[in-house]
């Protein structure tokens, strides 16, 4: 739980748009290099179309939140983030969350739904991982090259400031380490009983469609997949209207029948 991570919940950077009393709250969970700002206006558009409230936050070490209070990630770091999310939902007095998680955020959403079903109505994942593949490692190594040889570090520093190096290498070193090759969260999937929509681009450079099929087949709740052609790891940026419309449809049906 977050009590051993040396920060208080009110230090977490958060953006709230609470325009719809008695409606669910969409909670957006960013990717491994992301933050509130890098979502752009996509979360607001989903909230407006579905008439839901909205929360976006920066995890520890990202964006405007406090820096990491640890020097090395353990293999269970995303499960810890699911525990922190649970504490945040309680702190914000939210018991009707619909999670939208991208990449690491998608994996966190799956574990949170498995562990804390009482506060989560449904989840949408985009490019989520449940195990490590060769394509994942290859994709990350390409990003490492860009970080070292291009202006990627400078671009990320606009959003993460002096936390950028720690943030980047926490991700890159963890996922490319020998110890992380055995990381697998399939055991959580049968405990995901809420409805879910699993999104991935068919050209995702960090994971095969086996990630999608395994999630859909092993979760216990109603689950649907959305595979988007000619799209890589960020469908909500490359095909925003499609992801927006399909996400809104899923959320509206979820709210109607919840």
């Amino acid at each position: 739980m977050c009590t051993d991570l040396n920060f208080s919940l009110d230090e977490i950077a958060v953006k709230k748009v609470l325009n719809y009393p008695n409606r669910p709250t969409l909670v957006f969970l960013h990717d491994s290099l992301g933050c509130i700002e890098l979502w752009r206006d996509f979360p607001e558009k989903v909230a407006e179309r579905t008439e839901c409230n909205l929360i976006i936050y920066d995890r520890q070490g990202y964006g405007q939140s406090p820096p990491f209070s640890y020097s090395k990630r353990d293999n269970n770091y995303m499960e810890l983030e699911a525990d922190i999310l649970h504490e945040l939902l309680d702190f914000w007095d939210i018991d009707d969350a619909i999670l939208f998680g991208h990449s690491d955020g998608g994996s966190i959403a799956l574990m949170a739904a498995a562990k804390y079903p009482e506060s989560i109505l449904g989840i949408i994942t985009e490019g989520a991982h449940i195990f490590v593949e060769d394509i994942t490692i290859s994709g990350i190594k390409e990003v490492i090259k860009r970080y070292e040889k291009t202006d990627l570090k400078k671009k990320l520093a606009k959003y993460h400031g002096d936390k950028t190096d720690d943030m980047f290498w926490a991700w890159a070193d963890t996922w490319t380490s020998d110890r992380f090759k055995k990381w697998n969260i399939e055991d959580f999937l049968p405990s995901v009983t809420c409805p879910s929509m699993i999104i991935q681009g068919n050209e995702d450079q960090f994971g095969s469609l086996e990630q999608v099929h395994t999630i859909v087949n092993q979760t216990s709740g109603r689950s649907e997949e959305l595979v988007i052609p000619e799209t890589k790891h960020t469908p909500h940026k490359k095909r925003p209207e499609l992801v927006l419309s399909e996400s809104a449809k899923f959320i509206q049906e979820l709210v109607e029948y919840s």
Side-chain angles (χ1 to χ4, degrees):
M1 304 292 280
C2 72
T3 51
D4 64 354
L5 292 182
N6 196 31
F7 70 93
S8 62
L9 296 177
D10 58 7
E11 290 181 281
I12 291 293
V14 59
K15 180 177 181 179
K16 297 181 181 180
V17 183
L18 307 177
N19 292 333
Y20 302 100
N22 303 315
R23 295 284 288 177
T25 300
L26 309 179
V27 181
F28 279 74
L29 309 171
H30 62 73
D31 64 298
S32 52
L33 302 179
C35 63
I36 292 171
E37 288 188 73
L38 284 169
W39 280 109
R40 310 303 185 198
D41 63 351
F42 180 76
E44 286 88 346
K45 288 182 176 179
V46 180
E48 288 174 7
R49 188 167 297 192
T50 59
E51 296 186 342
C52 287
N53 300 297
L54 172 65
I55 286 183
I56 322 170
Y57 72 97
D58 292 334
R59 296 194 295 276
Q60 184 192 21
Y62 296 83
Q64 300 303 309
S65 283
F68 294 128
S69 54
Y70 50 87
S71 57
K72 183 180 179 181
R73 277 179 169 168
D74 292 327
N75 280 17
N76 67 339
Y77 80 94
M78 282 182 276
E79 184 179 357
L80 288 175
E81 293 292 351
D83 294 337
I84 293 169
L85 171 60
H86 172 64
E87 293 197 13
L88 285 167
L89 292 178
D90 185 61
F91 182 67
W92 294 325
D93 196 26
I94 294 172
D95 60 5
D96 57 357
I98 299 172
L99 307 181
F100 189 116
H102 177 219
S103 196
D104 270 20
S107 304
I108 293 165
L110 287 164
M111 287 185 279
K115 296 184 73 171
Y116 307 107
E118 66 279 359
S119 57
I120 297 170
L121 296 180
I123 61 173
I124 300 173
T125 71
E126 186 183 53
H129 292 88
I130 52 171
F131 44 72
V132 182
E133 300 178 280
D134 290 342
I135 188 176
T136 315
I137 304 305
S138 297
I140 293 171
K141 287 181 176 179
E142 286 300 314
V143 180
I144 292 172
K145 291 178 184 177
R146 288 173 51 210
Y147 190 78
E148 294 176 331
K149 299 181 182 297
T150 72
D151 63 348
L152 176 58
K153 178 178 178 178
K154 182 178 179 180
K155 289 179 177 179
L156 290 172
K158 289 169 54 180
Y159 304 99
H160 304 287
D162 58 9
K163 300 188 293 290
T164 302
D165 260 342
D166 288 343
M167 180 270 309
F168 182 85
W169 292 113
W171 168 68
D173 284 346
T174 299
W175 278 81
T176 58
S177 66
D178 287 340
R179 64 182 171 81
F180 203 72
K181 289 178 180 178
K182 295 181 180 179
W183 177 82
N184 186 304
I185 61 169
E186 287 180 79
D187 286 349
F188 286 90
L189 299 181
S191 297
V192 178
T193 57
C194 65
S196 61
M197 183 165 74
I198 313 303
I199 304 172
Q200 186 162 313
N202 73 335
E203 297 177 359
D204 193 320
Q205 66 272 40
F206 298 108
S208 75
L209 293 179
E210 188 62 25
Q211 305 275 352
V212 175
H213 302 327
T214 303
I215 296 170
V216 170
N217 290 332
Q218 293 191 26
T219 49
S220 297
R222 173 176 61 84
S223 186
E224 58 188 81
E225 65 178 58
L226 175 61
V227 176
I228 303 177
E230 300 179 4
T231 302
K232 294 187 177 181
H233 193 56
T234 54
H236 71 276
K237 291 183 178 179
K238 297 301 181 183
R239 299 290 300 278
E241 186 53 42
L242 174 61
V243 177
L244 173 60
S245 62
E246 291 298 320
S247 297
K249 179 182 176 182
F250 172 82
I251 292 166
Q252 288 163 341
E253 292 178 352
L254 176 63
V255 174
E256 181 179 352
Y257 293 106
S258 63

